[in-house]
Amino acid sequence: PDGWTCTEYHRDKLSTDATVKPPDDGRPMLIDFRTHPDEYRHWKLTFHGRHAHLSMDVDADVPILGDYELKLNSYDLGVDIELADAVQRLRFEHPEVGAVVIDSLKDRVFCSGANIRMLGKADHAHKVNFCKFTNETRNGIEEASAYSHQVYLAAVGGTAAGGGYELALACDEIILVDDRSAAVSLPEVPLLAVLPGTGGLTRLTDKRLVRRDLADVFCTTEEGVRGQKAVDWGLVDVTVPTSQFTDYVEARAEEVASATDRPGGPGIELTRIERTIDGDRIEYEWVSVEIDRGQGIATVTLRGPVDAPPADVLDLPSVGDAYWPLALARELDDALLHLRLNELTIGTLIFQTEGDPALVAEHDEFLASSWWSHWLAREIVLLWRRLLKRLDVTSRTTVAFMTPGSCYVGFLADILFAVDRSYGLIGGFENDDRRPATLRLTDLNFGPLTMPNGLTRLQTRFWGHDGVVERLEERKGVDLDAESANEAGLLTDAMDDLDWEDEIRLVLEARTAFSADSLTGMEANLRFPGPETMETKIFGRLTAWQNWIFQRPSAAGEDGALKMYGSGLRPTYDPKRV
């Protein structure tokens, strides 16, 4: 509501109340994604030479929403917000860490998965966004192993059920204690009438290469599989007796860490992202968000740098998280998550940039020339990769404007290719003395900033059009005005100032008039042409089916499995196959 500034509300409530509830005056609670290890209530980070332990110890009395208890290391969005923060900090703040062990401080339980009471009580939008953020966090763990060479091991010292086993599946290796009771399971189908919502089915077959028939048995056996059978089926990598478990995990973590290229030395601190929310305006240092509630539109403005990059990449750590590409990425990521969870009726996001293209080009070249050789430059480029992927899977109509004063160069230009539509102004507006808009492609547009389908956005844009990307690569470093960019296929359309206002108005009004549900489905289907990967399966196929099933009466009805769970009563299932 207008005049409401509440950036600290969630954190303050978390520190004083056992249960976070909305304010008494009817305002919705603001879900805040900003946190710090000093504020964690559910995870503990410890360091042991070249490896770290990220230990799950969920405080049952601190759910993010509602009055449920987070028993047996079950999790909700609040638990995952801390996990995502920890994974990010390990990459930036601890270059000495080559392996991360995810384990549990609870006796005889690793993690019992997503909290069932939360799933039963949360509205559908929260469930969907919870699953999506959880998916993104698990994918981030896998990216940390593959690209940051910070390898994750799951030390499953007790039962891992549902989302708990899915957390283990995101790791490179799964070490299961052999105590004759600890098991891994995906019991969603037999117990809850839903599916493993964070990629469990896909990771079983595509990552761990579990045979289809065995996976079928596994996913319909609520008690799961334990011991040597879990190894034989490929569900875990090794089982270790209780007496040897701790020593084995420590030795294996050090062995893995010693084989990575993590450089050691000091990292950089990720300080708290500062923002203010004043009515319908959200302000960061480098990002502004202006919300038009009448039209359901948020305009996101990214500001370019005011200083050049360091003279040498070795000086980059001394700049820390104030370095412009890093600060901008963190702020934009926070803004996207805020809009996704807290502004459900804002259906269209408009992106625009403002700044000096020459300065942006200097930072872009600085990263392009060093990201493969310097650990911190690599982490910044990979953060942009994850950020743009988050934009790829955000269920909003996305539009970008290329107008006078913009600075679409290199990694910022990828925003034009990530959105559903992009429009450029030919020349300038009347009485506007700013330079005409241009677009410049660089090495980063043809390399590391790949989408969930494994392709660059240019490869995706021109899928099946032979030779187009190669011809565009020959134009790297050339400033293309709106007309030239449009002719090259890099914009949806370009128009002069006489047509701009009316044409853009019609585009936005038409979008607002369509069904939000049909737009979400249409956009998600159109964004990923080309090859299918594990990521596109998780977001495109599994998430869609999972969220459809979440609304079916067998799961979400008054007598459905989610409502009946723990009551001692049998759920009522709709037998019709749909």
Side-chain angles (χ1 to χ4, degrees):
D2 290 344
W4 179 32
T5 302
C6 59
T7 58
E8 301 301 310
Y9 175 78
H10 176 63
R11 187 180 64 172
D12 290 346
K13 293 290 287 182
L14 210 64
S15 64
T16 57
D17 293 353
T19 301
V20 180
K21 298 179 180 178
D24 294 335
D25 59 7
R27 296 174 301 184
M29 193 199 79
L30 182 72
I31 294 175
D32 195 341
F33 288 84
R34 300 170 302 165
T35 187
H36 185 275
D38 292 342
E39 301 171 4
Y40 291 177
R41 301 296 295 270
H42 308 298
W43 294 90
K44 291 180 174 58
L45 261 174
T46 55
F47 298 91
H48 309 260
R50 289 269 292 163
H51 75 277
H53 280 252
L54 182 52
S55 303
M56 198 174 196
D57 190 16
V58 175
D59 188 334
D61 296 325
V62 188
I64 193 169
L65 292 172
D67 57 358
Y68 49 87
E69 287 185 85
L70 295 171
K71 296 179 179 179
L72 299 174
N73 268 358
S74 60
Y75 61 83
D76 63 2
L77 182 61
V79 178
D80 263 4
I81 286 172
E82 292 184 7
L83 174 60
D85 183 79
V87 172
Q88 183 113 301
R89 288 182 187 280
L90 282 162
R91 296 172 79 156
F92 281 95
E93 298 186 352
H94 296 281
E96 81 281 4
V97 170
V100 181
V101 176
I102 295 184
D103 58 11
S104 167
L105 298 182
K106 297 276 195 278
D107 187 40
R108 299 174 71 84
V109 62
F110 177 72
C111 172
S112 60
N115 186 270
I116 309 306
R117 304 293 185 194
M118 176 273 295
L119 292 175
K121 293 181 178 183
D123 63 38
H124 184 66
H126 185 83
K127 287 198 285 277
V128 171
N129 284 313
F130 162 68
C131 287
K132 184 173 289 185
F133 184 77
T134 300
N135 273 314
E136 290 168 326
T137 302
R138 305 301 188 266
N139 290 342
I141 289 172
E142 290 171 328
E143 190 203 70
S145 291
Y147 293 94
S148 296
H149 305 151
Q150 198 170 60
V151 180
Y152 276 73
L153 311 175
V156 182
T159 295
Y165 179 50
E166 293 184 83
L167 176 60
L169 284 171
C171 298
D172 286 83
E173 296 183 20
I174 303 175
I175 306 164
L176 176 66
V177 70
D178 187 5
D179 63 358
R180 298 189 178 184
S181 65
V184 295
S185 65
L186 291 177
E188 286 88 344
V189 170
L191 286 182
L192 304 173
V194 295
L195 299 178
T198 47
L201 301 178
T202 307
R203 286 188 172 93
L204 275 183
T205 56
D206 288 35
K207 182 178 181 179
R208 296 204 62 88
L209 307 180
V210 176
R211 232 171 57 199
R212 169 189 162 185
D213 57 340
L214 297 180
D216 187 298
V217 173
F218 174 64
C219 293
T220 52
T221 306
E222 64 181 70
E223 66 270 19
V225 175
R226 61 177 60 88
Q228 187 59 40
K229 186 176 183 180
V231 178
D232 294 341
W233 284 19
L235 302 171
V236 304
D237 292 284
V238 65
T239 60
V240 181
T242 306
S243 61
Q244 303 169 28
F245 187 73
T246 299
D247 290 341
Y248 180 91
V249 169
E250 296 303 300
R252 181 58 184 153
E254 279 299 304
E255 180 183 8
V256 169
S258 65
T260 71
D261 69 350
R262 299 292 290 180
I268 65 165
E269 180 185 1
L270 297 180
T271 58
R272 184 172 179 81
I273 298 170
E274 297 300 327
R275 75 175 183 208
T276 58
I277 302 176
D278 187 4
D280 291 331
R281 187 172 183 84
I282 308 169
E283 196 68 48
Y284 301 83
E285 182 179 6
W286 302 106
V287 176
S288 296
V289 181
E290 190 74 39
I291 296 175
D292 182 338
R293 298 193 184 280
Q295 295 191 77
I297 293 173
T299 300
V300 182
T301 302
L302 313 183
R303 291 183 284 275
V306 295
D307 298 312
D312 192 293
V313 71
L314 296 178
D315 298 325
L316 184 57
S318 65
V319 183
D321 70 346
Y323 180 52
W324 170 73
L326 174 54
L328 176 66
R330 295 182 68 213
E331 291 176 3
L332 180 55
D333 196 43
D334 185 76
L336 288 177
L337 289 170
H338 173 85
L339 291 168
R340 185 190 285 182
L341 268 294
N342 297 308
E343 297 288 357
L344 297 177
T345 61
I346 302 305
T348 300
L349 306 183
I350 297 173
F351 293 89
Q352 57 187 23
T353 62
E354 56 184 38
D356 182 352
L359 273 178
V360 175
E362 289 186 39
H363 286 272
D364 185 89
E365 171 59 25
F366 179 81
L367 292 174
S369 63
S370 56
W371 78 273
W372 48 271
S373 62
H374 189 273
W375 75 272
L376 183 51
R378 176 174 69 183
E379 292 302 340
I380 294 170
V381 170
L382 291 175
L383 175 56
W384 270 96
R385 184 175 183 260
R386 296 193 299 281
L387 165 62
L388 290 167
K389 282 185 177 184
R390 200 185 303 279
L391 178 59
D392 290 332
V393 300
T394 292
S395 58
R396 302 291 191 276
T397 292
T398 53
V399 181
F401 293 158
M402 179 177 152
T403 52
S406 63
C407 51
Y408 287 110
V409 176
F411 61 87
L412 285 187
D414 244 43
I415 292 174
L416 291 170
F417 318 136
V419 296
D420 299 310
R421 297 192 192 180
S422 54
Y423 295 93
L425 180 73
I426 299 172
F429 294 113
E430 188 177 359
N431 300 321
D432 186 346
D433 60 358
R434 292 177 298 173
R435 52 171 180 72
T438 57
L439 180 162
R440 187 187 305 181
L441 300 175
T442 72
D443 286 337
L444 289 183
N445 300 117
F446 298 89
L449 302 178
T450 50
M451 297 177 66
N453 60 7
L455 305 177
T456 67
R457 284 169 185 79
L458 289 176
Q459 289 172 323
T460 300
R461 188 180 191 85
F462 299 105
W463 178 253
H465 296 265
D466 294 340
V468 175
V469 175
E470 289 75 10
R471 289 193 294 273
L472 286 171
E473 195 160 8
E474 295 173 359
R475 304 179 76 175
K476 284 189 302 186
V478 177
D479 288 329
L480 304 174
D481 61 22
E483 196 166 15
S484 299
N486 188 44
E487 291 172 354
L490 297 174
L491 296 174
T492 304
D493 199 2
M495 59 200 78
D496 59 29
D497 65 324
L498 295 177
D499 297 325
W500 179 268
E501 184 175 346
D502 286 340
E503 292 294 329
I504 295 301
R505 176 179 56 81
L506 290 173
V507 167
L508 297 178
E509 287 180 355
R511 210 71 179 188
T512 303
F514 296 142
S515 156
D517 295 329
S518 60
L519 284 175
T520 295
M522 181 192 78
E523 291 155 359
N525 275 272
L526 295 178
R527 288 175 183 173
F528 301 111
E532 190 166 52
T533 66
M534 193 171 74
E535 277 191 69
T536 60
K537 286 182 181 180
I538 290 171
F539 284 114
R541 180 197 301 171
L542 179 63
T543 302
W545 283 108
Q546 163 73 358
N547 292 322
W548 174 74
I549 292 168
F550 257 136
Q551 297 192 81
R552 297 285 294 156
S554 294
E558 286 304 312
D559 297 321
L562 287 174
K563 297 290 179 68
M564 292 293 103
Y565 182 79
S567 69
L569 301 175
R570 290 179 61 85
T572 300
Y573 290 155
D574 181 351
K576 294 190 297 293
R577 289 290 187 125
V578 180

